[in-house]
PDB file of all heavy atoms in Angstrom:
ATOM      1  N   PRO P   1      10.787  -0.305   9.194  1.00 95.00           N
ATOM      2  CA  PRO P   1       9.417  -0.058   9.662  1.00 95.00           C
ATOM      3  C   PRO P   1       8.871   1.316   9.284  1.00 95.00           C
ATOM      4  O   PRO P   1       7.716   1.438   8.893  1.00 95.00           O
ATOM      5  CB  PRO P   1       9.498  -0.218  11.182  1.00 95.00           C
ATOM      6  CG  PRO P   1      10.761  -0.926  11.453  1.00 95.00           C
ATOM      7  CD  PRO P   1      11.673  -0.687  10.282  1.00 95.00           C
ATOM      8  N   ARG P   2       9.693   2.332   9.408  1.00 94.00           N
ATOM      9  CA  ARG P   2       9.228   3.700   9.116  1.00 94.00           C
ATOM     10  C   ARG P   2       8.762   3.817   7.662  1.00 94.00           C
ATOM     11  O   ARG P   2       7.685   4.321   7.370  1.00 94.00           O
ATOM     12  CB  ARG P   2      10.353   4.689   9.405  1.00 94.00           C
ATOM     13  CG  ARG P   2      10.007   6.117   9.183  1.00 94.00           C
ATOM     14  CD  ARG P   2      11.228   7.007   9.488  1.00 94.00           C
ATOM     15  NE  ARG P   2      10.897   8.371   9.242  1.00 94.00           N
ATOM     16  CZ  ARG P   2      10.347   9.175  10.145  1.00 94.00           C
ATOM     17  NH1 ARG P   2      10.081   8.739  11.346  1.00 94.00           N
ATOM     18  NH2 ARG P   2      10.071  10.422   9.832  1.00 94.00           N
ATOM     19  N   GLU P   3       9.570   3.305   6.735  1.00 95.00           N
ATOM     20  CA  GLU P   3       9.228   3.356   5.328  1.00 95.00           C
ATOM     21  C   GLU P   3       8.188   2.297   4.961  1.00 95.00           C
ATOM     22  O   GLU P   3       7.536   2.397   3.929  1.00 95.00           O
ATOM     23  CB  GLU P   3      10.474   3.174   4.455  1.00 95.00           C
ATOM     24  CG  GLU P   3      11.488   4.293   4.589  1.00 95.00           C
ATOM     25  CD  GLU P   3      12.348   4.223   5.851  1.00 95.00           C
ATOM     26  OE1 GLU P   3      12.388   3.168   6.517  1.00 95.00           O
ATOM     27  OE2 GLU P   3      12.985   5.251   6.176  1.00 95.00           O
ATOM     28  N   GLY P   4       8.052   1.273   5.809  1.00 93.00           N
ATOM     29  CA  GLY P   4       7.164   0.160   5.519  1.00 93.00           C
ATOM     30  C   GLY P   4       5.712   0.360   5.881  1.00 93.00           C
ATOM     31  O   GLY P   4       4.859  -0.429   5.481  1.00 93.00           O
ATOM     32  N   VAL P   5       5.399   1.428   6.602  1.00 94.00           N
ATOM     33  CA  VAL P   5       4.019   1.646   7.038  1.00 94.00           C
ATOM     34  C   VAL P   5       3.028   1.636   5.867  1.00 94.00           C
ATOM     35  O   VAL P   5       2.001   0.957   5.957  1.00 94.00           O
ATOM     36  CB  VAL P   5       3.895   2.913   7.907  1.00 94.00           C
ATOM     37  CG1 VAL P   5       2.444   3.356   8.059  1.00 94.00           C
ATOM     38  CG2 VAL P   5       4.508   2.661   9.284  1.00 94.00           C
ATOM     39  N   PRO P   6       3.293   2.339   4.758  1.00 94.00           N
ATOM     40  CA  PRO P   6       2.320   2.281   3.660  1.00 94.00           C
ATOM     41  C   PRO P   6       2.076   0.860   3.145  1.00 94.00           C
ATOM     42  O   PRO P   6       0.944   0.501   2.810  1.00 94.00           O
ATOM     43  CB  PRO P   6       2.932   3.172   2.580  1.00 94.00           C
ATOM     44  CG  PRO P   6       3.803   4.123   3.334  1.00 94.00           C
ATOM     45  CD  PRO P   6       4.363   3.308   4.477  1.00 94.00           C
ATOM     46  N   ASP P   7       3.110   0.028   3.084  1.00 94.00           N
ATOM     47  CA  ASP P   7       2.895  -1.334   2.616  1.00 94.00           C
ATOM     48  C   ASP P   7       2.183  -2.169   3.669  1.00 94.00           C
ATOM     49  O   ASP P   7       1.386  -3.040   3.329  1.00 94.00           O
ATOM     50  CB  ASP P   7       4.177  -2.028   2.161  1.00 94.00           C
ATOM     51  CG  ASP P   7       3.859  -3.214   1.241  1.00 94.00           C
ATOM     52  OD1 ASP P   7       2.961  -3.074   0.374  1.00 94.00           O
ATOM     53  OD2 ASP P   7       4.482  -4.278   1.394  1.00 94.00           O
ATOM     54  N   LEU P   8       2.427  -1.920   4.945  1.00 94.00           N
ATOM     55  CA  LEU P   8       1.663  -2.614   5.987  1.00 94.00           C
ATOM     56  C   LEU P   8       0.179  -2.274   5.845  1.00 94.00           C
ATOM     57  O   LEU P   8      -0.677  -3.148   5.976  1.00 94.00           O
ATOM     58  CB  LEU P   8       2.169  -2.249   7.380  1.00 94.00           C
ATOM     59  CG  LEU P   8       1.375  -2.864   8.543  1.00 94.00           C
ATOM     60  CD1 LEU P   8       1.361  -4.389   8.466  1.00 94.00           C
ATOM     61  CD2 LEU P   8       1.950  -2.387   9.872  1.00 94.00           C
ATOM     62  N   VAL P   9      -0.111  -1.024   5.560  1.00 93.00           N
ATOM     63  CA  VAL P   9      -1.510  -0.624   5.353  1.00 93.00           C
ATOM     64  C   VAL P   9      -2.090  -1.380   4.158  1.00 93.00           C
ATOM     65  O   VAL P   9      -3.182  -1.945   4.242  1.00 93.00           O
ATOM     66  CB  VAL P   9      -1.625   0.902   5.168  1.00 93.00           C
ATOM     67  CG1 VAL P   9      -3.033   1.309   4.727  1.00 93.00           C
ATOM     68  CG2 VAL P   9      -1.240   1.626   6.459  1.00 93.00           C
ATOM     69  N   ARG P  10      -1.344  -1.437   3.047  1.00 94.00           N
ATOM     70  CA  ARG P  10      -1.821  -2.175   1.869  1.00 94.00           C
ATOM     71  C   ARG P  10      -1.986  -3.667   2.154  1.00 94.00           C
ATOM     72  O   ARG P  10      -2.992  -4.265   1.772  1.00 94.00           O
ATOM     73  CB  ARG P  10      -0.874  -1.969   0.687  1.00 94.00           C
ATOM     74  CG  ARG P  10      -1.019  -0.592   0.024  1.00 94.00           C
ATOM     75  CD  ARG P  10      -0.214  -0.485  -1.264  1.00 94.00           C
ATOM     76  NE  ARG P  10       1.222  -0.583  -1.045  1.00 94.00           N
ATOM     77  CZ  ARG P  10       2.003   0.442  -0.722  1.00 94.00           C
ATOM     78  NH1 ARG P  10       1.496   1.644  -0.581  1.00 94.00           N
ATOM     79  NH2 ARG P  10       3.297   0.273  -0.541  1.00 94.00           N
ATOM     80  N   LEU P  11      -1.010  -4.266   2.841  1.00 95.00           N
ATOM     81  CA  LEU P  11      -1.119  -5.694   3.188  1.00 95.00           C
ATOM     82  C   LEU P  11      -2.348  -5.953   4.050  1.00 95.00           C
ATOM     83  O   LEU P  11      -3.056  -6.949   3.867  1.00 95.00           O
ATOM     84  CB  LEU P  11       0.130  -6.145   3.962  1.00 95.00           C
ATOM     85  CG  LEU P  11       1.322  -6.614   3.177  1.00 95.00           C
ATOM     86  CD1 LEU P  11       2.502  -6.892   4.112  1.00 95.00           C
ATOM     87  CD2 LEU P  11       0.995  -7.862   2.378  1.00 95.00           C
ATOM     88  N   THR P  12      -2.594  -5.063   4.992  1.00 93.00           N
ATOM     89  CA  THR P  12      -3.748  -5.219   5.870  1.00 93.00           C
ATOM     90  C   THR P  12      -5.037  -5.108   5.069  1.00 93.00           C
ATOM     91  O   THR P  12      -5.952  -5.926   5.232  1.00 93.00           O
ATOM     92  CB  THR P  12      -3.706  -4.184   7.001  1.00 93.00           C
ATOM     93  OG1 THR P  12      -2.484  -4.341   7.728  1.00 93.00           O
ATOM     94  CG2 THR P  12      -4.879  -4.356   7.944  1.00 93.00           C
ATOM     95  N   GLU P  13      -5.123  -4.128   4.189  1.00 93.00           N
ATOM     96  CA  GLU P  13      -6.335  -3.963   3.375  1.00 93.00           C
ATOM     97  C   GLU P  13      -6.529  -5.149   2.438  1.00 93.00           C
ATOM     98  O   GLU P  13      -7.650  -5.630   2.261  1.00 93.00           O
ATOM     99  CB  GLU P  13      -6.282  -2.646   2.610  1.00 93.00           C
ATOM    100  CG  GLU P  13      -6.447  -1.456   3.565  1.00 93.00           C
ATOM    101  CD  GLU P  13      -6.372  -0.104   2.881  1.00 93.00           C
ATOM    102  OE1 GLU P  13      -5.803   0.010   1.764  1.00 93.00           O
ATOM    103  OE2 GLU P  13      -6.894   0.856   3.474  1.00 93.00           O
ATOM    104  N   GLU P  14      -5.441  -5.659   1.850  1.00 96.00           N
ATOM    105  CA  GLU P  14      -5.540  -6.831   0.990  1.00 96.00           C
ATOM    106  C   GLU P  14      -5.999  -8.049   1.790  1.00 96.00           C
ATOM    107  O   GLU P  14      -6.779  -8.876   1.297  1.00 96.00           O
ATOM    108  CB  GLU P  14      -4.200  -7.118   0.318  1.00 96.00           C
ATOM    109  CG  GLU P  14      -3.802  -6.076  -0.718  1.00 96.00           C
ATOM    110  CD  GLU P  14      -2.362  -6.212  -1.181  1.00 96.00           C
ATOM    111  OE1 GLU P  14      -1.829  -7.348  -1.193  1.00 96.00           O
ATOM    112  OE2 GLU P  14      -1.748  -5.178  -1.525  1.00 96.00           O
ATOM    113  N   THR P  15      -5.528  -8.164   3.014  1.00 95.00           N
ATOM    114  CA  THR P  15      -5.939  -9.268   3.887  1.00 95.00           C
ATOM    115  C   THR P  15      -7.409  -9.133   4.251  1.00 95.00           C
ATOM    116  O   THR P  15      -8.154 -10.125   4.225  1.00 95.00           O
ATOM    117  CB  THR P  15      -5.055  -9.314   5.145  1.00 95.00           C
ATOM    118  OG1 THR P  15      -3.693  -9.534   4.730  1.00 95.00           O
ATOM    119  CG2 THR P  15      -5.478 -10.414   6.098  1.00 95.00           C
ATOM    120  N   LEU P  16      -7.849  -7.929   4.570  1.00 93.00           N
ATOM    121  CA  LEU P  16      -9.273  -7.708   4.866  1.00 93.00           C
ATOM    122  C   LEU P  16     -10.127  -8.075   3.655  1.00 93.00           C
ATOM    123  O   LEU P  16     -11.204  -8.668   3.805  1.00 93.00           O
ATOM    124  CB  LEU P  16      -9.512  -6.262   5.291  1.00 93.00           C
ATOM    125  CG  LEU P  16      -8.909  -5.854   6.638  1.00 93.00           C
ATOM    126  CD1 LEU P  16      -9.067  -4.351   6.854  1.00 93.00           C
ATOM    127  CD2 LEU P  16      -9.514  -6.628   7.789  1.00 93.00           C
ATOM    128  N   ASP P  17      -9.647  -7.761   2.471  1.00 94.00           N
ATOM    129  CA  ASP P  17     -10.374  -8.144   1.253  1.00 94.00           C
ATOM    130  C   ASP P  17     -10.480  -9.664   1.126  1.00 94.00           C
ATOM    131  O   ASP P  17     -11.522 -10.189   0.720  1.00 94.00           O
ATOM    132  CB  ASP P  17      -9.687  -7.585   0.000  1.00 94.00           C
ATOM    133  CG  ASP P  17      -9.937  -6.104  -0.208  1.00 94.00           C
ATOM    134  OD1 ASP P  17     -10.839  -5.544   0.447  1.00 94.00           O
ATOM    135  OD2 ASP P  17      -9.212  -5.502  -1.024  1.00 94.00           O
ATOM    136  N   LEU P  18      -9.392 -10.375   1.452  1.00 96.00           N
ATOM    137  CA  LEU P  18      -9.420 -11.844   1.401  1.00 96.00           C
ATOM    138  C   LEU P  18     -10.395 -12.406   2.437  1.00 96.00           C
ATOM    139  O   LEU P  18     -11.117 -13.362   2.146  1.00 96.00           O
ATOM    140  CB  LEU P  18      -8.019 -12.415   1.606  1.00 96.00           C
ATOM    141  CG  LEU P  18      -7.072 -12.275   0.422  1.00 96.00           C
ATOM    142  CD1 LEU P  18      -5.640 -12.589   0.823  1.00 96.00           C
ATOM    143  CD2 LEU P  18      -7.525 -13.164  -0.727  1.00 96.00           C
ATOM    144  N   VAL P  19     -10.405 -11.823   3.617  1.00 93.00           N
ATOM    145  CA  VAL P  19     -11.372 -12.266   4.639  1.00 93.00           C
ATOM    146  C   VAL P  19     -12.787 -12.053   4.106  1.00 93.00           C
ATOM    147  O   VAL P  19     -13.635 -12.948   4.183  1.00 93.00           O
ATOM    148  CB  VAL P  19     -11.167 -11.502   5.966  1.00 93.00           C
ATOM    149  CG1 VAL P  19     -12.300 -11.813   6.947  1.00 93.00           C
ATOM    150  CG2 VAL P  19      -9.815 -11.845   6.590  1.00 93.00           C
ATOM    151  N   GLU P  20     -13.034 -10.878   3.553  1.00 92.00           N
ATOM    152  CA  GLU P  20     -14.358 -10.561   3.023  1.00 92.00           C
ATOM    153  C   GLU P  20     -14.778 -11.541   1.925  1.00 92.00           C
ATOM    154  O   GLU P  20     -15.918 -11.983   1.880  1.00 92.00           O
ATOM    155  CB  GLU P  20     -14.351  -9.134   2.489  1.00 92.00           C
ATOM    156  CG  GLU P  20     -15.705  -8.605   2.083  1.00 92.00           C
ATOM    157  CD  GLU P  20     -15.629  -7.127   1.759  1.00 92.00           C
ATOM    158  OE1 GLU P  20     -14.900  -6.760   0.813  1.00 92.00           O
ATOM    159  OE2 GLU P  20     -16.280  -6.356   2.474  1.00 92.00           O
ATOM    160  N   ALA P  21     -13.848 -11.882   1.050  1.00 95.00           N
ATOM    161  CA  ALA P  21     -14.154 -12.764  -0.076  1.00 95.00           C
ATOM    162  C   ALA P  21     -14.329 -14.226   0.337  1.00 95.00           C
ATOM    163  O   ALA P  21     -15.141 -14.943  -0.254  1.00 95.00           O
ATOM    164  CB  ALA P  21     -13.051 -12.660  -1.131  1.00 95.00           C
ATOM    165  N   HIS P  22     -13.559 -14.678   1.334  1.00 95.00           N
ATOM    166  CA  HIS P  22     -13.530 -16.106   1.648  1.00 95.00           C
ATOM    167  C   HIS P  22     -14.169 -16.483   2.979  1.00 95.00           C
ATOM    168  O   HIS P  22     -14.338 -17.670   3.263  1.00 95.00           O
ATOM    169  CB  HIS P  22     -12.084 -16.610   1.587  1.00 95.00           C
ATOM    170  CG  HIS P  22     -11.496 -16.473   0.225  1.00 95.00           C
ATOM    171  ND1 HIS P  22     -11.750 -17.358  -0.790  1.00 95.00           N
ATOM    172  CD2 HIS P  22     -10.691 -15.518  -0.314  1.00 95.00           C
ATOM    173  CE1 HIS P  22     -11.124 -16.971  -1.886  1.00 95.00           C
ATOM    174  NE2 HIS P  22     -10.474 -15.851  -1.620  1.00 95.00           N
ATOM    175  N   VAL P  23     -14.507 -15.499   3.783  1.00 91.00           N
ATOM    176  CA  VAL P  23     -15.208 -15.749   5.053  1.00 91.00           C
ATOM    177  C   VAL P  23     -16.373 -14.746   5.113  1.00 91.00           C
ATOM    178  O   VAL P  23     -16.368 -13.812   5.913  1.00 91.00           O
ATOM    179  CB  VAL P  23     -14.266 -15.592   6.271  1.00 91.00           C
ATOM    180  CG1 VAL P  23     -14.943 -16.092   7.539  1.00 91.00           C
ATOM    181  CG2 VAL P  23     -12.946 -16.316   6.055  1.00 91.00           C
ATOM    182  N   PRO P  24     -17.341 -14.921   4.219  1.00 87.00           N
ATOM    183  CA  PRO P  24     -18.395 -13.913   4.074  1.00 87.00           C
ATOM    184  C   PRO P  24     -19.246 -13.698   5.320  1.00 87.00           C
ATOM    185  O   PRO P  24     -19.847 -12.624   5.468  1.00 87.00           O
ATOM    186  CB  PRO P  24     -19.232 -14.449   2.908  1.00 87.00           C
ATOM    187  CG  PRO P  24     -18.909 -15.899   2.810  1.00 87.00           C
ATOM    188  CD  PRO P  24     -17.512 -16.060   3.336  1.00 87.00           C
ATOM    189  N   ASP P  25     -19.291 -14.655   6.223  1.00 89.00           N
ATOM    190  CA  ASP P  25     -20.079 -14.491   7.440  1.00 89.00           C
ATOM    191  C   ASP P  25     -19.394 -13.615   8.489  1.00 89.00           C
ATOM    192  O   ASP P  25     -20.019 -13.222   9.462  1.00 89.00           O
ATOM    193  CB  ASP P  25     -20.399 -15.857   8.068  1.00 89.00           C
ATOM    194  CG  ASP P  25     -21.351 -16.668   7.203  1.00 89.00           C
ATOM    195  OD1 ASP P  25     -22.082 -16.060   6.379  1.00 89.00           O
ATOM    196  OD2 ASP P  25     -21.346 -17.907   7.318  1.00 89.00           O
ATOM    197  N   TYR P  26     -18.112 -13.319   8.291  1.00 87.00           N
ATOM    198  CA  TYR P  26     -17.383 -12.489   9.251  1.00 87.00           C
ATOM    199  C   TYR P  26     -17.671 -11.026   8.930  1.00 87.00           C
ATOM    200  O   TYR P  26     -17.399 -10.553   7.830  1.00 87.00           O
ATOM    201  CB  TYR P  26     -15.870 -12.773   9.172  1.00 87.00           C
ATOM    202  CG  TYR P  26     -15.100 -12.094  10.270  1.00 87.00           C
ATOM    203  CD1 TYR P  26     -14.945 -12.686  11.517  1.00 87.00           C
ATOM    204  CD2 TYR P  26     -14.541 -10.836  10.075  1.00 87.00           C
ATOM    205  CE1 TYR P  26     -14.246 -12.051  12.535  1.00 87.00           C
ATOM    206  CE2 TYR P  26     -13.837 -10.191  11.080  1.00 87.00           C
ATOM    207  CZ  TYR P  26     -13.700 -10.811  12.304  1.00 87.00           C
ATOM    208  OH  TYR P  26     -13.003 -10.175  13.300  1.00 87.00           O
ATOM    209  N   ASP P  27     -18.192 -10.311   9.895  1.00 85.00           N
ATOM    210  CA  ASP P  27     -18.527  -8.897   9.704  1.00 85.00           C
ATOM    211  C   ASP P  27     -17.272  -8.053   9.870  1.00 85.00           C
ATOM    212  O   ASP P  27     -16.730  -7.933  10.969  1.00 85.00           O
ATOM    213  CB  ASP P  27     -19.595  -8.482  10.708  1.00 85.00           C
ATOM    214  CG  ASP P  27     -20.030  -7.029  10.528  1.00 85.00           C
ATOM    215  OD1 ASP P  27     -19.601  -6.377   9.553  1.00 85.00           O
ATOM    216  OD2 ASP P  27     -20.807  -6.555  11.370  1.00 85.00           O
ATOM    217  N   LEU P  28     -16.818  -7.477   8.771  1.00 85.00           N
ATOM    218  CA  LEU P  28     -15.586  -6.691   8.771  1.00 85.00           C
ATOM    219  C   LEU P  28     -15.798  -5.208   9.048  1.00 85.00           C
ATOM    220  O   LEU P  28     -14.834  -4.454   9.103  1.00 85.00           O
ATOM    221  CB  LEU P  28     -14.878  -6.826   7.429  1.00 85.00           C
ATOM    222  CG  LEU P  28     -14.079  -8.091   7.236  1.00 85.00           C
ATOM    223  CD1 LEU P  28     -13.571  -8.192   5.820  1.00 85.00           C
ATOM    224  CD2 LEU P  28     -12.922  -8.143   8.202  1.00 85.00           C
ATOM    225  N   ALA P  29     -17.024  -4.771   9.209  1.00 84.00           N
ATOM    226  CA  ALA P  29     -17.295  -3.343   9.366  1.00 84.00           C
ATOM    227  C   ALA P  29     -16.498  -2.741  10.521  1.00 84.00           C
ATOM    228  O   ALA P  29     -15.852  -1.693  10.365  1.00 84.00           O
ATOM    229  CB  ALA P  29     -18.784  -3.100   9.546  1.00 84.00           C
ATOM    230  N   ALA P  30     -16.501  -3.387  11.663  1.00 82.00           N
ATOM    231  CA  ALA P  30     -15.778  -2.858  12.830  1.00 82.00           C
ATOM    232  C   ALA P  30     -14.265  -2.883  12.600  1.00 82.00           C
ATOM    233  O   ALA P  30     -13.562  -1.942  12.976  1.00 82.00           O
ATOM    234  CB  ALA P  30     -16.134  -3.646  14.086  1.00 82.00           C
ATOM    235  N   ALA P  31     -13.772  -3.947  11.988  1.00 84.00           N
ATOM    236  CA  ALA P  31     -12.330  -4.039  11.720  1.00 84.00           C
ATOM    237  C   ALA P  31     -11.895  -2.953  10.755  1.00 84.00           C
ATOM    238  O   ALA P  31     -10.875  -2.297  10.975  1.00 84.00           O
ATOM    239  CB  ALA P  31     -11.979  -5.417  11.165  1.00 84.00           C
ATOM    240  N   ARG P  32     -12.647  -2.752   9.704  1.00 85.00           N
ATOM    241  CA  ARG P  32     -12.299  -1.711   8.731  1.00 85.00           C
ATOM    242  C   ARG P  32     -12.388  -0.316   9.376  1.00 85.00           C
ATOM    243  O   ARG P  32     -11.511   0.515   9.168  1.00 85.00           O
ATOM    244  CB  ARG P  32     -13.179  -1.789   7.499  1.00 85.00           C
ATOM    245  CG  ARG P  32     -12.838  -2.953   6.592  1.00 85.00           C
ATOM    246  CD  ARG P  32     -13.550  -2.803   5.247  1.00 85.00           C
ATOM    247  NE  ARG P  32     -13.439  -3.974   4.416  1.00 85.00           N
ATOM    248  CZ  ARG P  32     -12.415  -4.262   3.623  1.00 85.00           C
ATOM    249  NH1 ARG P  32     -11.373  -3.479   3.579  1.00 85.00           N
ATOM    250  NH2 ARG P  32     -12.423  -5.351   2.877  1.00 85.00           N
ATOM    251  N   ALA P  33     -13.427  -0.083  10.152  1.00 85.00           N
ATOM    252  CA  ALA P  33     -13.589   1.216  10.808  1.00 85.00           C
ATOM    253  C   ALA P  33     -12.466   1.446  11.819  1.00 85.00           C
ATOM    254  O   ALA P  33     -11.886   2.537  11.892  1.00 85.00           O
ATOM    255  CB  ALA P  33     -14.956   1.299  11.486  1.00 85.00           C
ATOM    256  N   GLY P  34     -12.143   0.422  12.588  1.00 84.00           N
ATOM    257  CA  GLY P  34     -11.082   0.540  13.590  1.00 84.00           C
ATOM    258  C   GLY P  34      -9.710   0.750  12.985  1.00 84.00           C
ATOM    259  O   GLY P  34      -8.876   1.459  13.535  1.00 84.00           O
ATOM    260  N   PHE P  35      -9.510   0.163  11.823  1.00 87.00           N
ATOM    261  CA  PHE P  35      -8.224   0.299  11.137  1.00 87.00           C
ATOM    262  C   PHE P  35      -8.118   1.636  10.420  1.00 87.00           C
ATOM    263  O   PHE P  35      -7.029   2.187  10.245  1.00 87.00           O
ATOM    264  CB  PHE P  35      -8.031  -0.850  10.135  1.00 87.00           C
ATOM    265  CG  PHE P  35      -6.718  -0.846   9.431  1.00 87.00           C
ATOM    266  CD1 PHE P  35      -5.529  -0.907  10.137  1.00 87.00           C
ATOM    267  CD2 PHE P  35      -6.658  -0.787   8.054  1.00 87.00           C
ATOM    268  CE1 PHE P  35      -4.300  -0.906   9.484  1.00 87.00           C
ATOM    269  CE2 PHE P  35      -5.437  -0.788   7.387  1.00 87.00           C
ATOM    270  CZ  PHE P  35      -4.258  -0.850   8.105  1.00 87.00           C
ATOM    271  N   GLY P  36      -9.258   2.173  10.024  1.00 86.00           N
ATOM    272  CA  GLY P  36      -9.255   3.400   9.257  1.00 86.00           C
ATOM    273  C   GLY P  36      -9.013   3.113   7.798  1.00 86.00           C
ATOM    274  O   GLY P  36      -8.424   3.889   7.076  1.00 86.00           O
TER     275      GLY P  36
END
């Protein structure tokens, strides 16, 4: 887990990108802001 944090961040960002691309009606602004 300690070494995995950067990849968890990348996985989360890649997932947010997939949500943005395939669920365009979902507003990701709050999720992205909350995640940093």
Side-chain angles (χ1 to χ4, degrees):
R2 182 181 179 87
E3 295 78 15
V5 165
D7 200 41
L8 176 58
V9 171
R10 284 188 295 275
L11 273 174
T12 302
E13 290 179 338
E14 291 169 31
T15 299
L16 292 173
D17 284 346
L18 286 167
V19 172
E20 188 171 62
H22 298 280
V23 190
D25 293 337
Y26 188 86
D27 182 6
L28 281 173
R32 286 192 189 276
F35 183 58

